[in-house]
Every structure is written in structure tokens, then in C-alpha cells.
């Protein structure tokens, strides 16, 4: 009698399985992101055509004649219907031809991407200010839970959360640009004047962005740290003799950072995509300020391209958040449907 040996395949290692799930998530997002952007652009085209307003009149001004406005609309393709205009725009956008701005009369691709770079610089600076400030406040509150300082900080954060961003920005302008003239009234006055002056011109709008969301991130960090310190595994680690930095690093940080990273990912997408309120208030030449002007003057090519860029940035930030959560917290799985 002959016996056959059955070769058993080795089980995939945890690292290989995790890498496979990561690439699977990237593949699914690569298919989902274009679909979401397609639906957003179609809805935007429909809304723009529904809202009253004449692009030719906005571009030429109130003193142009009806024949001049009609000629301008015909030359710039503004007379096309929503479906025809959308199909024509989509074909050009997919091939890199984003059209010409109806207001600025320059190629949309260079205009939008130039403003986007400015918004990225401002968003990165605001994010760099937000992360240590919010997490530090949250950790300090968690450590002094129930104390007078914790309650006072909670009241302060709740008050700050109820104040709109433009109010914070106006206060900063009055204090640091008028009373103490250490910052320019308009951010454009200090841009391109050297690294120090450039960063100084961006500091007030970046602080305004950071303070607008610091309360949310700090409260999330506080709650996550408190929940972690009340968990059984934390108490077991204390019983085993762990304390100080080792206890915080091994048993608190990785377990408590999950919800905080999720909130920070949303903030990063908003910061980099451009804040219309803050950029308009400080006169900062970012993508948010450009979209406000495009909306007011019905500059369809700029508006659609800008919304597509901000939408892509928001979806990319969500993907980066998923990957960061999986790297920090081993309990997070990147399988389908999670």
C-alpha cells in the first residue's frame, strides 16, 4: 500500500495578512473615490444652473448691454444646458483641460492648484499647532479628572467651541494687528517676504483654524484616556508594577489614540482643503477664498475644479485616517465591511 503525503500550506503571517488587507483597502478606495467625486460634480452642476445668475453679466458688469452679455456667454460656452455642459466639462477635466476662468481669464488648472498649495501650507501649520495643543490639554485633563482645573478647562473649551471662527479671527486682528501691530492686517501683505515674515503672516489664520477645533480634539483625547485608564488591562499593568512613561506608552497611548486620530483626520481634511471663512477674513490667497469668489460670480470652471480638489483631499484624508488607525491600534481590522 502506498501512502500519499499531503503538503500543508503554511498559514500566512500576521504581517503578510495585514499588508494584504491594507492593499485591499487601497484598492476599494481607488474605486470608490472617483464614483463619489462623479456624483458630487454632477450635483454641483445641477445646483449651479438652478441658482439664479448670469455668468456673462457677472463677468462684464452691470453696464454691459444684453448683446455683449449674450456674445460673452456664447464665446465661453455658458449657454449650454446642465447635461451638455457637464458632459463637455467632464471630458475636458479627465484629460487635464480644466478650462479658463470666467472671471480671471486664466487657465483654471494653474489657478486652482496654485491656491491649493497655499491652503496646504496654511493647513499644515494649523494642524501642527492643533495636535500638541489639543492632545496636551486632553491628557492634562484626564490626569486631573474631577479637579477644579479640569472643570475650568472644560468650561473654557465649551465656550471656545461655541464661538464662530470669524469671531476668533476678528479678535486676533484687533489685538495683534491693530492694538499690538505685530502681524499684518491682511495675510497677503507678509507673504513672499522671507521665511519669518511669511510664517508670521500665516500664524493668525492658522491659530484661528486650530482654536476652532481644539475643543473637539481635546475632549475626545480626554475621554479616550479616561476610558483606557479604567479598563481591566490597565489595572493589571499597574498591579504588575508598570508606571510612568512605560505604562503610558505601552498601555495608554496606543489604545486611547484611536478616536483622537479619527477626529484629527477629519480636521486635517478640512484644513488642507481650505477654510473659506478664515481665508476670506484674513485675505489669505487660498482655495477656500477662491471658491467664495467663484460662487459669488458664478465662475463655473473654477468652482467645479475647486470642489473636485477639496472633495478628493477630504476622501484622501479619510483613507489616511483609516491607515493610521490600523497602524496605531492592532484591534482595527481593514477587512471588507469594517
Amino acid at each position: 500500500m502506498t501512502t500519499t503525503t499531503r503538503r500543508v500550506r503554511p498559514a500566512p503571517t500576521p504581517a503578510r495578512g495585514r499588508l494584504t488587507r491594507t492593499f485591499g483597502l487601497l484598492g476599494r478606495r481607488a474605486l470608490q473615490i472617483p464614483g463619489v467625486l462623479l456624483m458630487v460634480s454632477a450635483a454641483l452642476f445641477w445646483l449651479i444652473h438652478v441658482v439664479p445668475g448670469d455668468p456673462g453679466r457677472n463677468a462684464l458688469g452691470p453696464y454691459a448691454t444684453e448683446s455683449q452679455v449674450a456674445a460673452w456667454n456664447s464665446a465661453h460656452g455658458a449657454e449650454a444646458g446642465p447635461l451638455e455642459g457637464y458632459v463637455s466639462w467632464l471630458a475636458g477635466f479627465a484629460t487635464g483641460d480644466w478650462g479658463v476662468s470666467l472671471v480671471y481669464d486664466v487657465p483654471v488648472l494653474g489657478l486652482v492648484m496654485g491656491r491649493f498649495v497655499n491652503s496646504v501650507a496654511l493647513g499644515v501649520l494649523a494642524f501642527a499647532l492643533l495636535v500638541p495643543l489639543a492632545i496636551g490639554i486632553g491628557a492634562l485633563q484626564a490626569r486631573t479628572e474631577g479637579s477644579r482645573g479640569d472643570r475650568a478647562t472644560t468650561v473654557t473649551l465649551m465656550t471656545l467651541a461655541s464661538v464662530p471662527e470669524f469671531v476668533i479671527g476678528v479678535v486676533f486682528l484687533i489685538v495683534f494687528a491693530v492694538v499690538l501691530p505685530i502681524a499684518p492686517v491682511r495675510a497677503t501683505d507678509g507673504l513672499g517676504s522671507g521665511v519669518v515674515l511669511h510664517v508670521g503672516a500665516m500664524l493668525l489664520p492658522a491659530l484661528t483654524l486650530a482654536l476652532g477645533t481644539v475643543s473637539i480634539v481635546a475632549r475626545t483625547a480626554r475621554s479616550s484616556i479616561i476610558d483606557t485608564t479604567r479598563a481591566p488591562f490597565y489595572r493589571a499593568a499597574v498591579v504588575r508594577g508598570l508606571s510612568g512613561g512605560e505604562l503610558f506608552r505601552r498601555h495608554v497611548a496606543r489604545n486611547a489614540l484611536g478616536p483622537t486620530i479619527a477626529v484629527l483626520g477629519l480636521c486635517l481634511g478640512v484644513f488642507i482643503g481650505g477654510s473659506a471663512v478664515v481665508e476670506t477674513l484674513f485675505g489669505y490667497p487660498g482655495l477656500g477664498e477662491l471658491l467664495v469668489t467663484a460662487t459669488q460670480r458664478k465662475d463655473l470652471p473654477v468652482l467645479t475644479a475647486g470642489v473636485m480638489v477639496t472633495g478628493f483631499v477630504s476622501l484622501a484624508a479619510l483613507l489616511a485616517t483609516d491607515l493610521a488607525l490600523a497602524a496605531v491600534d492592532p484591534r482595527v481590522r481593514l477587512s471588507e465591511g469594517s
Side-chain angles (χ1 to χ4, degrees):
M1 178 180 292
T2 60
T3 60
T4 59
T5 60
R6 186 178 180 182
R7 181 176 296 178
V8 180
R9 293 182 179 180
T13 61
R16 180 179 298 179
R18 197 170 189 81
L19 186 62
T20 301
R21 291 192 295 269
T22 300
F23 280 111
L25 175 65
L26 291 175
R28 293 194 300 273
R29 290 291 192 270
L31 297 176
Q32 294 171 358
I33 289 177
V36 173
L37 294 179
L38 194 65
M39 290 187 293
V40 169
S41 62
L44 179 64
F45 253 82
W46 179 79
L47 288 173
I48 289 176
H49 281 82
V50 169
V51 174
D54 190 335
R57 179 63 65 186
N58 292 333
L60 299 178
Y63 300 106
T65 63
E66 293 297 333
S67 59
Q68 290 173 333
V69 172
W72 190 95
N73 286 333
S74 177
H76 291 81
E79 292 181 339
L83 181 59
E84 180 183 355
Y86 177 69
V87 173
S88 176
W89 170 85
L90 185 61
F93 188 86
T95 57
D97 181 12
W98 292 12
V100 178
S101 170
L102 305 181
V103 175
Y104 300 96
D105 197 26
V106 295
V108 173
L109 179 59
L111 177 63
V112 170
M113 296 311 296
R115 294 295 190 93
F116 174 65
V117 171
N118 292 339
S119 291
V120 169
L122 179 62
V124 170
L125 179 59
F127 193 74
L129 296 173
L130 171 67
V131 172
L133 178 63
I135 295 181
I137 292 175
L140 181 61
Q141 280 194 279
R143 185 173 182 179
T144 59
E145 180 190 6
S147 65
R148 293 182 178 178
D150 179 32
R151 293 194 293 269
T153 305
T154 299
V155 173
T156 303
L157 291 176
M158 293 178 65
T159 304
L160 188 61
S162 63
V163 179
E165 285 183 340
F166 72 89
V167 175
I168 299 175
V170 168
V171 172
F172 279 166
L173 285 175
I174 294 175
V175 174
F176 298 107
V178 178
V179 179
L180 303 173
I182 59 177
V185 177
R186 292 182 59 84
T188 50
D189 298 338
L191 299 181
S193 304
V195 177
V196 176
L197 294 178
H198 193 100
V199 174
M202 295 169 53
L203 189 58
L204 289 186
L207 275 173
T208 304
L209 283 175
L211 290 180
T213 54
V214 67
S215 58
I216 301 174
V217 180
R219 294 295 294 172
T220 303
R222 175 186 181 276
S223 300
S224 300
I225 294 175
I226 291 176
D227 292 341
T228 303
T229 55
R230 292 175 178 175
F233 68 86
Y234 177 84
R235 297 174 182 174
V238 173
V239 171
R240 291 198 303 270
L242 293 180
S243 62
E246 184 181 8
L247 177 64
F248 183 83
R249 183 178 62 256
R250 293 179 56 183
H251 296 278
V252 177
R254 297 192 67 178
N255 291 281
L257 280 179
T260 307
I261 288 177
V263 176
L264 286 174
L266 297 176
C267 295
L268 180 61
V270 173
F271 289 174
I272 293 180
S275 173
V277 175
V278 174
E279 290 180 357
T280 303
L281 176 64
F282 288 92
Y284 184 81
L287 186 56
E289 190 268 344
L290 179 65
L291 290 179
V292 171
T293 304
T295 304
Q296 292 173 343
R297 305 188 67 176
K298 211 171 184 180
D299 193 344
L300 183 58
V302 172
L303 184 58
T304 49
V307 170
M308 293 291 280
V309 171
T310 55
F312 176 80
V313 168
S314 299
L315 295 174
L318 291 177
L319 174 59
T321 301
D322 291 339
L323 297 177
L325 284 173
V328 171
D329 193 344
R331 297 171 299 179
V332 176
R333 294 292 179 260
L334 300 176
S335 59
E336 183 71 36
S338 62

